[in-house]
Amino acid sequence: MTAFLDFEKQVAALDRQIAELREMGEDPTLNIENDIARLEDKSSKLLREIYSKLTPWQKTQVARHPDRPHFKHYVAGLFDDWMPLAGDRNFADDQAILGGFARFRGRRVMVIGHEKGDDIPSRMKHNFGMAKPEGYRKAIRLMQLADRFGLPVVTLVDTSGAFPGIQAEERGQAEAIARSTEQCLALGVPMVAAVVGEGGSGGAIALAAANRVLMFEHAVYSVISPEGCASILWRTSDKAPEAATAMKMAAQDLLALKVIDRIVPEPVGGAHRAPDIAIQSLGDALAAELDSLSGLPRDALLAAREEKFLAMGRA
């Protein structure tokens, strides 16, 4: 069953009524199909209305929905011949960032992304998608490998931020993030990044300094979480909704600011309600962007990527 968010209470109430009627509908003496159809239509219209005017804070909640597709679901739904590669050849293998060779619609690629996990054991295993330095050093190694073999790089970003623990700081977290960002910018092959859930801080941009940056309709992308921003500015996380609005972290705002290049539409009610449709929608967008970049020489890719990021913030 769908886990409803706070602003979906009316939809939840209607869906409960529909479920109760369906149970009653098993009684052959009753004919309540018309009532069920009427409620389903009402629920669908209400859901569409709610999602047509989500606030940035509500989009943040959608982006964090536990049933939203994660890296492993995109790999299963979009890529063939997946061959995961592990380790940074220095310290360890960080399961918060996964990557490897794959085939995408007939094209060999390197795919890298954050994995949050979808139940308690897997979330612990993947550290809730919060990577440590070895995760970013693994990403660097895989990007260099892709560059060596002339393979396009596809990254899927979904993290609240890099792991802030003392062990990560001791092993050079900031340096690893900076070098991963640098490696993105130095790639001589096409790179397309997609923010599929949360894009938080340097932990996100370390995999997103690409030729093309895509973003799901209800994903968010910002330098800090709304709660973190509110705690700094107002000394309370209760102001998170105001912070989310002020930071312009929604895809629609970021497209206007030219931080991202394309918004990928989601099914009504968010990607978690129809994961297969969302995954294929992302696949179509990735294919279109890779097609537009294929055949460009190394110098052109480097120059375009440099100009893209230097142009941000210009009047």
Side-chain angles (χ1 to χ4, degrees), residues 223-248:
V223 70
I224 192 173
S225 70
E227 296 92 333
C229 177
S231 296
I232 292 170
L233 294 181
W234 291 287
R235 299 291 190 268
T236 173
S237 61
D238 293 341
K239 293 285 188 177
E242 289 88 338
T245 301
M247 287 194 295
K248 299 195 178 298

Side-chain angles (χ1 to χ4, degrees), residues 4-16:
F4 290 94
L5 300 167
D6 288 343
F7 58 85
E8 299 175 322
K9 288 179 180 178
Q10 290 177 287
V11 177
L14 286 171
D15 284 3
R16 280 195 298 270

Side-chain angles (χ1 to χ4, degrees), residues 52-240:
S52 69
K53 52 184 180 183
L54 291 181
T55 67
W57 175 241
Q58 289 169 336
K59 285 181 179 289
T60 303
Q61 296 175 66
V62 177
R64 294 172 175 172
H65 197 285
D67 296 332
R68 200 171 175 86
H70 295 133
F71 180 83
K72 65 179 181 181
H73 301 118
Y74 293 107
V75 168
L78 294 176
F79 299 94
D80 300 315
D81 301 332
W82 164 242
M83 182 185 295
L85 300 173
D88 67 344
R89 299 297 187 267
N90 183 38
F91 182 78
D93 180 42
D94 187 351
Q95 288 288 301
I97 291 180
L98 303 179
F101 295 116
R103 190 176 296 277
F104 174 65
R105 299 187 179 182
R107 187 193 322 252
R108 292 295 295 175
V109 299
M110 179 70 77
V111 57
I112 307 168
H114 300 95
E115 174 58 64
K116 284 185 171 181
D118 50 15
D119 55 27
I120 291 176
S122 63
R123 286 170 187 153
M124 296 294 290
K125 174 183 176 182
H126 297 289
N127 201 33
F128 300 86
M130 296 186 294
K132 298 172 184 176
E134 48 270 24
Y136 294 106
R137 290 177 180 134
K138 173 167 66 175
I140 292 168
R141 182 174 75 84
L142 299 191
M143 284 189 275
Q144 290 173 342
L145 199 59
D147 205 359
R148 186 185 312 162
F149 291 108
L151 301 179
V153 175
V154 174
T155 60
L156 305 178
V157 176
D158 189 12
T159 181
S160 57
F163 183 62
I166 189 171
Q167 308 98 323
E169 296 298 333
E170 287 173 344
R171 295 197 293 274
Q173 182 72 292
E175 182 263 355
I177 289 172
R179 289 196 181 276
S180 183
T181 307
E182 179 186 41
Q183 183 59 56
C184 291
L185 295 170
L187 281 174
V189 294
M191 180 178 181
V192 179
V195 182
V196 297
E198 284 186 277
S201 193
I205 200 170
L207 296 186
N211 292 97
R212 299 284 190 275
V213 181
L214 317 182
M215 192 168 168
F216 262 131
E217 181 182 0
H218 303 310
V220 291
Y221 189 22
S222 65
V223 70
I224 192 173
S225 70
E227 296 92 333
C229 177
S231 296
I232 292 170
L233 294 181
W234 291 287
R235 299 291 190 268
T236 173
S237 61
D238 293 341
K239 293 285 188 177

